[in-house]
Amino acid sequence: MAGEMTLLVEDNEINRRLEKFLLRSEGYRVREAATAKEAFRVLETDRPDLILMDIQLPDVDGLEVTRKLKGDPATRDIPVVAVTSYAMKGDREKALAAGCVGFITKPIDKAAFVREIATYISHKEQLPDAG
Ligand code: MN
């Protein structure tokens, strides 16, 4: 794996900095957005291989953003992984129902984070119609 582009949608700067550090240390490129609006702006010009979606964003709920992405032919094939700090019973199911391929809880477990991201990106490569 080298150079795959990730889009990090996260409004908390400390979390964003940590996730960005981990992604870059694995060789991924990182685009950043602190709001849903910024995320859509990035997607106008960039085509990430994976999107990490904070569920609690200041403007639009991350699951709502995911549903929009999944409803748009231009973005529906990009895997979205939900990242949330309020993992309650049912949150994973809600994230999957919204179209997320996976679910990561905060605080970030660094080793698990890196491992999971690698899994989601390599799964994408195995899809027959990917790319
Ligand atoms: Mn947030």
Side-chain angles (χ1 to χ4, degrees):
M1 71 192 70
E4 287 95 344
M5 188 195 292
T6 57
L7 170 56
L8 188 48
V9 188
E10 167 64 75
D11 63 308
N12 181 289
E13 196 185 339
I14 294 166
N15 287 333
R16 201 169 64 237
R17 205 180 298 164
L18 171 62
E19 292 175 52
K20 180 182 180 180
F21 172 79
L22 294 171
L23 291 166
R24 293 186 70 168
S25 65
E26 291 299 304
Y28 304 123
R29 287 178 291 157
V30 181
R31 297 289 181 271
E32 296 174 73
T35 63
K37 190 177 174 189
E38 283 182 23
F40 285 114
R41 196 178 304 143
V42 169
L43 289 166
E44 285 172 14
T45 53
D46 290 320
R47 168 83 189 183
D49 297 291
L50 184 75
I51 298 174
L52 287 159
M53 183 69 68
D54 177 27
I55 297 309
Q56 263 185 315
L57 293 170
D59 51 352
V60 182
D61 178 89
L63 294 183
E64 185 56 37
V65 177
T66 302
R67 282 190 282 269
K68 281 202 177 106
L69 296 174
K70 293 296 146 184
D72 183 342
T75 53
R76 72 176 167 215
D77 294 332
I78 306 172
V80 179
V81 176
V83 184
T84 179
S85 53
Y86 58 104
M88 312 260 284
K89 195 170 158 56
D91 280 358
R92 177 183 292 270
E93 288 70 22
K94 277 185 224 164
L96 298 179
C100 296
V101 293
F103 186 87
I104 293 174
T105 53
K106 292 183 273 193
I108 298 294
D109 174 325
K110 294 175 193 171
F113 179 84
V114 163
R115 203 166 51 234
E116 291 193 49
I117 297 306
T119 303
Y120 298 128
I121 285 187
S122 65
H123 274 174
K124 179 178 176 282
E125 286 169 350
Q126 285 161 13
L127 295 176
D129 59 348

